Amino acid sequence: ELTASSVRLNPATRVPEAVVAWRASNRFPAHGSRDVFFSRGTGGVRAFNSSNVKFTDMCTNYACTEAQVLALGPTANLSNAVNYLLGDVTQEKRNGGPFRDRTTRLGDIVNSNPVVSSPTDDYGYGSFGGTLGSSYRTYVRTTKAERRYMVYVGANDGMLHAFDGGLTKEMVEKGLAPDLDGGREEFAYIPATSLGKLGNLLFPYDPTNQNDQKFQHRYYVDGPIAVSDAFYGESWNTVLVGTAGAGGRSVFALDVSN
């Protein structure tokens, strides 16, 4: 679970206390409204949908086949499998679907520490001489200052998640609590090392074969994340570098400027 809290002074005890501002698992968009992208390692980045991905993609690094997935039931088709991975709970076993039951739509987070990206983050590049330094100072003061706080974290549902932090620079300066957009997923990214293991997440618990379950807990996007600013394409941008950690040998970079 990913939870954000604000600190307030209890009016009765005068003791500071943490109050939950949002829980990411409660703010997920509907599966058809999410912006989720993936990469095969080559060929660029595409939207994660049943037009762009196949069962063979999702079983490349996991011992499953299309036939095994289809055998889970008459509705265990590619479209429903993709919708399930995007968070469609109607496809879960307990709701009459063919796929594994989940506690939440957000996968477990083990070794990927959440990183907060603030519109006030200044990485010191303004100390550079010439136009490079002056352009960075302008970038921080104008373009960057207009953004919202973001929270990035990797999870073992195969995705790097980007959540709205619920705050702006002005809100923080005024001491306001996070707004109702806090915790809403803005986008998610599935690196190539995760794509080939997504098939594992589909298989439900089999009570007739307790010692040899098809589903096994695996690591996906499990490594540390770093966010900084970088100058390329003749302008300053904010970039994220993520790693798979125990999920595989993978390093990926994303432009998260907007």
Side-chain angles (χ1 to χ4, degrees):
E1 178 63 281
L2 180 67
T3 303
S5 300
S6 56
V7 179
R8 71 177 184 184
L9 191 66
N10 187 301
T13 64
R14 309 303 295 173
V15 174
E17 60 183 14
V19 180
V20 174
W22 50 258
R23 296 182 187 277
S25 61
N26 294 339
R27 299 283 179 89
F28 261 70
H31 68 274
S33 300
R34 291 178 67 188
D35 290 319
V36 179
F37 305 92
F38 77 96
S39 170
R40 293 187 177 92
T42 59
V45 174
R46 299 183 178 184
F48 184 70
N49 57 48
S50 56
S51 297
N52 292 332
V53 72
K54 298 179 174 60
F55 279 126
T56 51
D57 293 316
M58 298 188 285
C59 290
T60 301
N61 298 326
Y62 176 70
C64 71
T65 64
E66 179 176 355
Q68 289 173 323
V69 177
L70 295 176
L72 293 176
T75 60
N77 54 55
L78 178 60
S79 177
N80 285 341
V82 170
N83 287 340
Y84 167 85
L85 293 169
L86 290 172
D88 184 1
V89 297
T90 67
Q91 302 302 326
E92 295 180 12
K93 196 77 172 178
R94 60 186 168 187
N95 296 321
F99 305 125
R100 183 177 60 90
D101 291 333
R102 297 168 288 196
T103 304
T104 71
R105 291 178 291 172
L106 176 63
D108 62 288
I109 300 167
V110 179
N111 295 310
S112 179
N113 293 325
V115 171
V116 177
S117 180
S118 162
T120 61
D121 287 340
D122 185 336
Y123 296 100
Y125 304 129
S127 62
F128 291 165
T131 57
L132 190 62
S134 62
S135 64
Y136 183 72
R137 293 192 294 272
T138 300
Y139 175 71
V140 172
R141 188 177 64 253
T142 57
T143 303
K144 195 170 184 179
E146 297 300 318
R147 298 177 189 160
R148 292 174 64 83
Y149 280 72
M150 293 293 297
V151 181
Y152 302 101
V153 68
N156 292 318
D157 52 16
M159 304 180 190
L160 177 283
H161 298 274
F163 296 104
D164 189 311
L167 293 167
T168 64
K169 178 176 178 288
E170 182 181 10
M171 292 171 66
V172 171
E173 292 172 344
K174 292 181 177 179
L176 300 178
D179 59 27
L180 294 179
D181 285 328
R184 185 189 66 205
E185 185 191 66
E186 292 296 326
F187 74 88
Y189 173 70
I190 304 170
T193 48
S194 290
L195 179 66
K197 297 186 290 187
L198 291 180
N200 170 62
L201 299 172
L202 301 173
F203 290 89
Y205 174 72
D206 182 0
T208 66
N209 198 7
Q210 297 183 17
N211 295 322
D212 188 21
Q213 295 295 315
K214 190 68 176 173
F215 166 77
Q216 299 289 330
H217 179 274
R218 292 172 179 264
Y219 295 100
Y220 288 81
V221 186
D222 186 58
I225 296 166
V227 177
S228 186
D229 296 326
F231 187 87
Y232 65 90
E234 300 185 353
S235 64
W236 284 99
N237 303 272
T238 300
V239 296
L240 175 151
V241 176
T243 60
R249 297 177 180 178
S250 173
V251 176
F252 55 89
L254 305 174
D255 186 329
V256 293
S257 301
N258 56 9

